[in-house]
Amino acid sequence: MRAVTQRIVVVSASVGAGHDGAARELARRLAEQGFAVDRHDFLDLLPGPLGRGLRNAYALQLRVAPDSWGWLLTALDRHRTLTGVATGISRLAARKLQRSLPADTIAVVSTYPLASLALGGMRRRGRLDVPVITYLTDMSVHPLWVGEGVDTHLALHPVAESQARLLGAATVQVVCPAVPPAFRPAVSVTEQRAARLRFGLPHDRRPLALVVAGSWGVGEIEQTARDVTATGLATPVVLCGLNTLLHEAITRSGAGIPLGWVDDVPALLRACDVVIQNAGGLSSLEALTAGLPVISYRCIPGHGSTNAAALDLAGWARWAQRPDELREVLAASLALQPGHVLMPASAVDPAEIIAIVAAGLRLDAYTEPVELTAADGGL
């Protein structure tokens, strides 16, 4: 057992649930290895109400004008001025972030791009003398994720690894997704039926398609439910998250079976047969880990579309871009045999890689490249 004075700090951001979800699971795994672990919300490290303002603005943008989010991400990719603004925002948190690192910190892990910019800048300017590791939560990699000064990037698949390297990341390691062990396939039809009864879902054998849109429930969700119903292949179950207006709209229209906030998502996944998503974040990884086929459909602009493309390229989730494609892809997904959906991007636990980097050891001495085949959900 390692001494508790070996501390690893994990920095995330409460924008949706994906970044925090990955941070929480990484922290759990690191604690199991004997490290002391601190977690910080990057938005709380920004001065005054700036962090809360950024969170609210992002949520409002996705709900009211999602196309503008796609335009913004594209602009950040192409224009140095806007990239400089993002870097400037990250630096505003640097001083408080530095003060939050205890003396026994041996590494810092980021699951949020602006936090990676801040930490990489601190490392580059000599204000941080311990390794910085970025865990890439998405399958597609935006340039903001790859900041100078970061020691190691952890990617979910060779597709993401390749994108990170093209953007200038020097050291990239492919790792397993940081998904809790509770996300597993149903072991029997009886277990699936019990899960359906628990959530008040139809418990016959008609397939259920779980429609997810992150914790905020944003995007063209009601229309997605209508499109699923129109295929005649499955009953849509809409996970509305914190979006009470969406829940009310689905209830009024009868477009599907609405569910509000669900604490036990692993059990809900075991009740369903396929997942339809629009952002390509943590929900997709959780569903795949639970053994369910995943379909990308009516994706939100920006990272939703780029993640859908990367997931499709990786063979992890097919991207249906039109209603007629949805029927074809849904039929193919429902025809898969139980247990067919696998996503072993790598046998390497991200917590193990973090521990290796924190110890100042060479990665190539401890890990081997993983050969992926189409049957493994690879390229």
Side-chain angles (χ1 to χ4, degrees):
M1 179 69 72
R2 296 180 177 85
V4 296
T5 53
Q6 289 188 308
R7 185 178 307 275
I8 294 178
V9 176
V10 182
V11 185
S12 180
S14 53
V15 284
H19 302 288
D20 280 344
R24 185 164 50 250
E25 175 60 14
L26 290 173
R28 185 192 68 80
R29 296 185 187 195
L30 290 166
E32 280 190 346
Q33 292 192 26
F35 293 105
V37 183
D38 292 349
R39 284 180 53 202
H40 295 286
D41 187 332
F42 177 82
L43 301 184
D44 292 339
L45 301 173
L46 291 169
L50 181 56
R52 185 173 62 255
L54 284 176
R55 182 192 302 113
N56 293 340
Y58 176 56
L60 182 65
Q61 189 173 25
L62 288 182
R63 287 173 180 161
V64 177
D67 285 342
S68 68
W69 175 245
W71 299 334
L72 178 58
L73 284 184
T74 300
L76 284 168
D77 189 1
R78 295 177 179 175
H79 302 293
R80 288 181 175 272
T81 302
L82 288 176
T83 303
V85 171
T87 303
I89 292 174
S90 71
R91 287 180 179 175
L92 292 175
R95 183 172 298 179
K96 192 171 182 179
L97 179 56
Q98 189 168 29
R99 291 199 303 266
S100 70
L101 303 179
D104 58 357
T105 300
I106 61 170
V108 187
V109 180
S110 166
T111 65
Y112 181 61
L114 292 186
S116 295
L117 285 178
L119 291 163
M122 292 164 60
R123 189 90 162 108
R124 191 174 65 252
R125 295 190 296 273
R127 296 174 59 187
L128 184 61
D129 59 1
V130 298
V132 171
I133 302 108
T134 288
Y135 175 89
L136 300 165
T137 59
D138 288 353
M139 277 288 286
S140 63
V141 185
H142 190 273
L144 288 181
W145 271 113
V146 182
E148 293 183 26
V150 173
D151 295 83
T152 303
H153 290 77
L154 306 182
L156 302 174
H157 189 278
V159 168
E161 176 192 26
S162 176
Q163 291 184 12
R165 290 191 187 279
L166 286 173
L167 291 169
T171 303
V172 189
Q173 171 67 46
V174 177
V175 296
C176 291
V179 174
F183 290 91
R184 60 166 180 79
V187 297
S188 66
V189 173
T190 300
E191 185 180 26
Q192 185 187 61
R193 184 176 294 117
R196 290 187 174 191
L197 286 170
R198 175 181 172 184
F199 292 101
L201 301 173
H203 50 87
D204 54 22
R205 288 304 303 145
R206 180 171 175 78
L208 297 182
L210 183 63
V211 180
V212 298
S215 61
W216 290 342
V218 296
E220 299 175 340
I221 309 308
E222 186 176 358
Q223 187 58 54
T224 293
R226 292 181 186 278
D227 292 345
V228 172
T229 300
T231 68
L233 296 173
T235 298
V237 177
V238 183
L239 189 54
C240 302
L242 299 171
N243 192 338
T244 56
L245 293 178
L246 174 61
H247 192 285
E248 293 169 1
I250 297 292
T251 301
R252 285 195 307 270
S253 68
I257 302 171
L259 296 177
W261 183 263
V262 172
D263 288 321
D264 194 350
V265 176
L268 177 60
L269 288 171
R270 288 192 286 273
C272 299
D273 301 278
V274 64
V275 168
I276 300 175
Q277 65 84 34
N278 68 354
L282 184 61
S283 296
S284 302
L285 303 176
E286 291 171 344
L288 289 164
T289 304
L292 294 183
V294 175
I295 299 169
S296 302
Y297 184 65
R298 290 190 179 272
C299 297
I300 60 176
H303 67 282
S305 297
T306 58
N307 282 339
L311 285 164
D312 193 87
L313 180 61
W316 281 5
R318 291 184 64 181
W319 186 9
Q321 300 188 50
R322 301 187 311 273
D324 60 316
E325 285 186 0
L326 176 63
R327 192 184 197 290
E328 173 194 342
V329 173
L330 183 56
S333 297
L334 291 172
L336 293 174
Q337 294 298 314
H340 177 85
V341 180
L342 299 173
M343 51 169 298
S346 165
V348 183
D349 186 336
E352 291 290 343
I353 301 301
I354 292 168
I356 291 169
V357 175
L361 302 175
R362 286 171 53 89
L363 281 179
D364 56 10
Y366 289 83
T367 61
E368 296 180 358
V370 177
E371 294 290 336
L372 295 185
T373 67
D376 292 329
L379 295 172

